[in-house]
Amino acid sequence: MLNHIVLMGRLTRDPELRYTQSGTPVASFRLAVDRDFGNRETGEKQTDFIDVVAWRQTGEFVSKFFAKGSMAVVSGRLQVRDWQDREGNKRTTAEVVAENIYFGDSKKSRDGGDVSGFRSSAPSEFDGARTKAPAFQEIDEADGELPF
């Protein structure tokens, strides 16, 4: 059986980092995710608000580098759990347990700069200047051999 989910959205609040009694870090936040389709009458897209929990280093990472409004790509599994509220009523909660979290926007847009393109780059080594791709070259068909 497979339980894998990938979401891309914006944080609705700063991640809340807490620690269990044994000292394990856990961060929780909510992700606003737009649906791919819109309302039939208005064409307006609807948004789902999804709770996410990140444990250990992933939780520390998200609490350090993400804030309210940050675009994030979350990869993990869907978990449904039952619990009791203060009045003793049974409740059910669905949440995503994050295994990996990636930046969903460029460093420039996170810092308030240019937001011209989407680029996912968790490691900071990709935050340098963009390089131009080499131009295409025409192949002389008379040669008869391909260059690869």
Side-chain angles (χ1 to χ4, degrees):
M1 301 226 180
L2 180 66
N3 181 355
H4 186 80
I5 188 167
V6 178
L7 301 168
M8 180 175 175
R10 295 199 178 274
L11 276 70
T12 62
R13 58 183 163 87
D14 290 343
E16 180 183 335
L17 182 64
R18 293 170 286 134
Y19 293 89
T20 64
Q21 290 179 346
S22 62
T24 304
V26 57
S28 59
F29 58 95
R30 183 169 282 176
L31 208 59
V33 180
D34 287 337
R35 294 184 185 176
D36 287 341
F37 54 89
N39 183 311
R40 288 185 184 191
E41 289 114 28
T42 65
E44 185 176 317
K45 288 188 177 183
Q46 293 182 314
T47 303
D48 294 307
F49 296 92
I50 300 168
D51 292 323
V52 181
V53 176
W55 292 87
R56 298 176 185 77
Q57 293 90 351
T58 306
E60 291 175 328
F61 171 77
V62 74
S63 69
K64 184 175 181 180
F65 294 106
F66 289 81
K68 179 180 178 178
S70 298
M71 179 73 74
V73 178
V74 176
S75 170
R77 63 183 168 84
L78 183 62
Q79 174 177 288
V80 178
R81 60 184 174 87
D82 298 319
W83 55 281
Q84 268 188 343
D85 64 12
R86 293 180 184 177
E87 289 81 37
N89 300 317
K90 283 191 171 187
R91 301 286 184 182
T92 301
T93 299
E95 60 194 4
V96 172
V97 178
E99 294 170 6
N100 297 296
I101 300 175
Y102 305 96
F103 294 113
D105 50 8
S106 69
K107 182 171 175 22
K108 285 183 181 180
S109 64
R110 287 193 307 271
D111 294 340
D114 181 11
V115 293
S116 61
F118 169 78
R119 186 178 64 153
S120 176
S121 61
S124 60
E125 65 190 6
F126 297 111
D127 289 336
R130 294 184 182 160
T131 59
K132 284 182 99 174
F136 288 104
Q137 296 178 346
E138 280 193 42
I139 299 174
D140 183 14
E141 292 181 26
D143 187 8
E145 290 190 33
L146 295 175
F148 47 86

mmCIF file of all heavy atoms in Angstrom, residues 16 22 32 39-40 48 52 57 63-64 70 75 78 88-89 91 96 111 114 118 123 126 138:
data_model
loop_
_atom_site.group_PDB
_atom_site.id
_atom_site.type_symbol
_atom_site.label_atom_id
_atom_site.label_comp_id
_atom_site.label_asym_id
_atom_site.label_seq_id
_atom_site.Cartn_x
_atom_site.Cartn_y
_atom_site.Cartn_z
ATOM 1 N N GLU A 16 5.230 26.657 14.341
ATOM 2 C CA GLU A 16 5.346 26.612 15.804
ATOM 3 C C GLU A 16 6.228 25.426 16.166
ATOM 4 O O GLU A 16 5.852 24.273 15.947
ATOM 5 C CB GLU A 16 3.961 26.452 16.427
ATOM 6 C CG GLU A 16 3.980 26.391 17.923
ATOM 7 C CD GLU A 16 2.589 26.160 18.503
ATOM 8 O OE1 GLU A 16 1.598 26.506 17.846
ATOM 9 O OE2 GLU A 16 2.497 25.610 19.623
ATOM 10 N N SER A 22 10.771 14.045 25.691
ATOM 11 C CA SER A 22 12.094 13.442 25.496
ATOM 12 C C SER A 22 13.044 14.351 24.722
ATOM 13 O O SER A 22 14.179 13.969 24.438
ATOM 14 C CB SER A 22 11.954 12.101 24.771
ATOM 15 O OG SER A 22 11.390 12.300 23.493
ATOM 16 N N ALA A 32 -1.819 26.754 2.906
ATOM 17 C CA ALA A 32 -2.941 27.128 2.046
ATOM 18 C C ALA A 32 -2.611 26.656 0.634
ATOM 19 O O ALA A 32 -1.648 27.117 0.028
ATOM 20 C CB ALA A 32 -3.155 28.633 2.065
ATOM 21 N N ASN A 39 -14.435 27.520 -9.453
ATOM 22 C CA ASN A 39 -15.879 27.437 -9.327
ATOM 23 C C ASN A 39 -16.504 27.538 -10.715
ATOM 24 O O ASN A 39 -16.090 28.363 -11.531
ATOM 25 C CB ASN A 39 -16.368 28.577 -8.422
ATOM 26 C CG ASN A 39 -17.849 28.525 -8.168
ATOM 27 O OD1 ASN A 39 -18.650 28.384 -9.090
ATOM 28 N ND2 ASN A 39 -18.209 28.660 -6.911
ATOM 29 N N ARG A 40 -17.519 26.730 -10.999
ATOM 30 C CA ARG A 40 -18.125 26.732 -12.342
ATOM 31 C C ARG A 40 -18.741 28.076 -12.709
ATOM 32 O O ARG A 40 -18.652 28.504 -13.850
ATOM 33 C CB ARG A 40 -19.194 25.653 -12.437
ATOM 34 C CG ARG A 40 -18.620 24.271 -12.484
ATOM 35 C CD ARG A 40 -19.689 23.247 -12.692
ATOM 36 N NE ARG A 40 -19.107 21.917 -12.640
ATOM 37 C CZ ARG A 40 -19.735 20.842 -12.977
ATOM 38 N NH1 ARG A 40 -20.987 20.906 -13.382
ATOM 39 N NH2 ARG A 40 -19.150 19.680 -12.906
ATOM 40 N N ASP A 48 -7.674 25.052 -0.049
ATOM 41 C CA ASP A 48 -7.746 24.113 1.060
ATOM 42 C C ASP A 48 -6.673 24.488 2.071
ATOM 43 O O ASP A 48 -5.558 24.862 1.703
ATOM 44 C CB ASP A 48 -7.508 22.681 0.576
ATOM 45 C CG ASP A 48 -8.620 22.191 -0.336
ATOM 46 O OD1 ASP A 48 -9.792 22.272 0.075
ATOM 47 O OD2 ASP A 48 -8.322 21.737 -1.456
ATOM 48 N N VAL A 52 0.078 20.562 8.766
ATOM 49 C CA VAL A 52 1.310 19.819 8.507
ATOM 50 C C VAL A 52 2.098 19.722 9.806
ATOM 51 O O VAL A 52 2.185 20.688 10.570
ATOM 52 C CB VAL A 52 2.170 20.510 7.421
ATOM 53 C CG1 VAL A 52 3.445 19.720 7.151
ATOM 54 C CG2 VAL A 52 1.367 20.697 6.136
ATOM 55 N N GLN A 57 14.820 17.006 12.489
ATOM 56 C CA GLN A 57 15.559 18.005 11.714
ATOM 57 C C GLN A 57 14.659 18.737 10.720
ATOM 58 O O GLN A 57 14.862 19.926 10.458
ATOM 59 C CB GLN A 57 16.731 17.368 10.948
ATOM 60 C CG GLN A 57 17.842 16.843 11.817
ATOM 61 C CD GLN A 57 17.622 15.383 12.212
ATOM 62 O OE1 GLN A 57 16.559 14.808 11.982
ATOM 63 N NE2 GLN A 57 18.615 14.791 12.851
ATOM 64 N N SER A 63 11.094 25.603 10.836
ATOM 65 C CA SER A 63 10.921 26.707 11.789
ATOM 66 C C SER A 63 12.006 27.767 11.637
ATOM 67 O O SER A 63 11.786 28.935 11.956
ATOM 68 C CB SER A 63 10.899 26.176 13.225
ATOM 69 O OG SER A 63 12.159 25.690 13.597
ATOM 70 N N LYS A 64 13.160 27.374 11.129
ATOM 71 C CA LYS A 64 14.266 28.325 10.962
ATOM 72 C C LYS A 64 14.167 29.117 9.660
ATOM 73 O O LYS A 64 14.464 30.310 9.634
ATOM 74 C CB LYS A 64 15.592 27.564 11.011
ATOM 75 C CG LYS A 64 16.810 28.448 10.940
ATOM 76 C CD LYS A 64 18.082 27.641 11.116
ATOM 77 C CE LYS A 64 19.302 28.537 11.066
ATOM 78 N NZ LYS A 64 20.542 27.778 11.240
ATOM 79 N N SER A 70 5.442 32.181 3.215
ATOM 80 C CA SER A 70 6.459 31.473 2.434
ATOM 81 C C SER A 70 5.818 30.370 1.606
ATOM 82 O O SER A 70 4.934 29.663 2.082
ATOM 83 C CB SER A 70 7.501 30.819 3.349
ATOM 84 O OG SER A 70 8.189 31.766 4.109
ATOM 85 N N SER A 75 6.470 17.118 1.076
ATOM 86 C CA SER A 75 6.342 15.729 0.674
ATOM 87 C C SER A 75 6.254 14.897 1.944
ATOM 88 O O SER A 75 7.055 15.060 2.860
ATOM 89 C CB SER A 75 7.568 15.328 -0.149
ATOM 90 O OG SER A 75 7.588 13.949 -0.368
ATOM 91 N N LEU A 78 -0.164 11.177 4.549
ATOM 92 C CA LEU A 78 -1.389 11.634 5.187
ATOM 93 C C LEU A 78 -1.660 10.760 6.401
ATOM 94 O O LEU A 78 -1.555 9.528 6.330
ATOM 95 C CB LEU A 78 -2.557 11.550 4.204
ATOM 96 C CG LEU A 78 -3.897 12.075 4.710
ATOM 97 C CD1 LEU A 78 -3.807 13.563 5.037
ATOM 98 C CD2 LEU A 78 -4.977 11.829 3.675
ATOM 99 N N GLY A 88 -14.782 16.111 26.253
ATOM 100 C CA GLY A 88 -14.890 14.665 26.143
ATOM 101 C C GLY A 88 -15.460 14.185 24.814
ATOM 102 O O GLY A 88 -15.722 12.990 24.653
ATOM 103 N N ASN A 89 -15.647 15.093 23.848
ATOM 104 C CA ASN A 89 -16.157 14.707 22.538
ATOM 105 C C ASN A 89 -15.043 14.101 21.699
ATOM 106 O O ASN A 89 -13.907 14.578 21.719
ATOM 107 C CB ASN A 89 -16.731 15.921 21.796
ATOM 108 C CG ASN A 89 -17.870 16.555 22.560
ATOM 109 O OD1 ASN A 89 -18.722 15.866 23.097
ATOM 110 N ND2 ASN A 89 -17.874 17.879 22.614
ATOM 111 N N ARG A 91 -13.001 13.553 18.410
ATOM 112 C CA ARG A 91 -12.675 14.355 17.234
ATOM 113 C C ARG A 91 -11.733 13.553 16.336
ATOM 114 O O ARG A 91 -11.000 12.674 16.807
ATOM 115 C CB ARG A 91 -11.970 15.659 17.633
ATOM 116 C CG ARG A 91 -12.764 16.542 18.553
ATOM 117 C CD ARG A 91 -13.870 17.199 17.806
ATOM 118 N NE ARG A 91 -14.578 18.116 18.696
ATOM 119 C CZ ARG A 91 -15.607 18.794 18.342
ATOM 120 N NH1 ARG A 91 -16.089 18.695 17.128
ATOM 121 N NH2 ARG A 91 -16.199 19.591 19.193
ATOM 122 N N VAL A 96 -0.807 16.159 7.429
ATOM 123 C CA VAL A 96 0.297 15.621 6.660
ATOM 124 C C VAL A 96 1.520 15.564 7.570
ATOM 125 O O VAL A 96 1.872 16.554 8.211
ATOM 126 C CB VAL A 96 0.588 16.498 5.422
ATOM 127 C CG1 VAL A 96 1.858 16.046 4.723
ATOM 128 C CG2 VAL A 96 -0.586 16.464 4.466
ATOM 129 N N ASP A 111 13.202 37.206 -0.206
ATOM 130 C CA ASP A 111 13.802 38.409 0.367
ATOM 131 C C ASP A 111 13.125 39.684 -0.115
ATOM 132 O O ASP A 111 13.610 40.772 0.138
ATOM 133 C CB ASP A 111 15.293 38.465 0.030
ATOM 134 C CG ASP A 111 16.071 37.342 0.706
ATOM 135 O OD1 ASP A 111 15.556 36.788 1.699
ATOM 136 O OD2 ASP A 111 17.174 37.020 0.242
ATOM 137 N N ASP A 114 12.893 40.115 -6.951
ATOM 138 C CA ASP A 114 12.243 39.683 -8.179
ATOM 139 C C ASP A 114 11.487 38.377 -7.973
ATOM 140 O O ASP A 114 12.015 37.440 -7.401
ATOM 141 C CB ASP A 114 13.321 39.491 -9.257
ATOM 142 C CG ASP A 114 12.756 39.068 -10.592
ATOM 143 O OD1 ASP A 114 11.525 39.122 -10.760
ATOM 144 O OD2 ASP A 114 13.559 38.698 -11.461
ATOM 145 N N PHE A 118 9.544 30.529 -10.952
ATOM 146 C CA PHE A 118 9.512 29.500 -9.917
ATOM 147 C C PHE A 118 10.824 28.745 -9.937
ATOM 148 O O PHE A 118 11.315 28.363 -10.981
ATOM 149 C CB PHE A 118 8.360 28.529 -10.178
ATOM 150 C CG PHE A 118 8.430 27.305 -9.325
ATOM 151 C CD1 PHE A 118 8.040 27.362 -8.008
ATOM 152 C CD2 PHE A 118 8.925 26.120 -9.821
ATOM 153 C CE1 PHE A 118 8.116 26.241 -7.209
ATOM 154 C CE2 PHE A 118 9.002 25.003 -9.030
ATOM 155 C CZ PHE A 118 8.596 25.062 -7.720
ATOM 156 N N PRO A 123 19.074 23.480 -1.186
ATOM 157 C CA PRO A 123 20.446 23.848 -0.850
ATOM 158 C C PRO A 123 20.760 25.266 -1.324
ATOM 159 O O PRO A 123 20.316 25.682 -2.379
ATOM 160 C CB PRO A 123 21.307 22.836 -1.606
ATOM 161 C CG PRO A 123 20.387 21.775 -2.079
ATOM 162 C CD PRO A 123 19.023 22.383 -2.137
ATOM 163 N N PHE A 126 22.499 26.783 -4.953
ATOM 164 C CA PHE A 126 21.824 27.166 -6.179
ATOM 165 C C PHE A 126 21.345 28.605 -6.157
ATOM 166 O O PHE A 126 20.671 29.044 -7.062
ATOM 167 C CB PHE A 126 20.636 26.244 -6.444
ATOM 168 C CG PHE A 126 21.053 24.819 -6.650
ATOM 169 C CD1 PHE A 126 20.747 23.850 -5.713
ATOM 170 C CD2 PHE A 126 21.768 24.444 -7.773
ATOM 171 C CE1 PHE A 126 21.133 22.541 -5.900
ATOM 172 C CE2 PHE A 126 22.163 23.133 -7.964
ATOM 173 C CZ PHE A 126 21.844 22.177 -7.025
ATOM 174 N N GLU A 138 24.010 24.251 -35.454
ATOM 175 C CA GLU A 138 23.518 23.490 -36.594
ATOM 176 C C GLU A 138 24.472 22.354 -36.883
ATOM 177 O O GLU A 138 25.693 22.485 -36.747
ATOM 178 C CB GLU A 138 23.383 24.387 -37.822
ATOM 179 C CG GLU A 138 22.128 25.212 -37.791
ATOM 180 C CD GLU A 138 21.852 25.848 -39.140
ATOM 181 O OE1 GLU A 138 22.023 25.177 -40.174
ATOM 182 O OE2 GLU A 138 21.483 27.026 -39.124
#
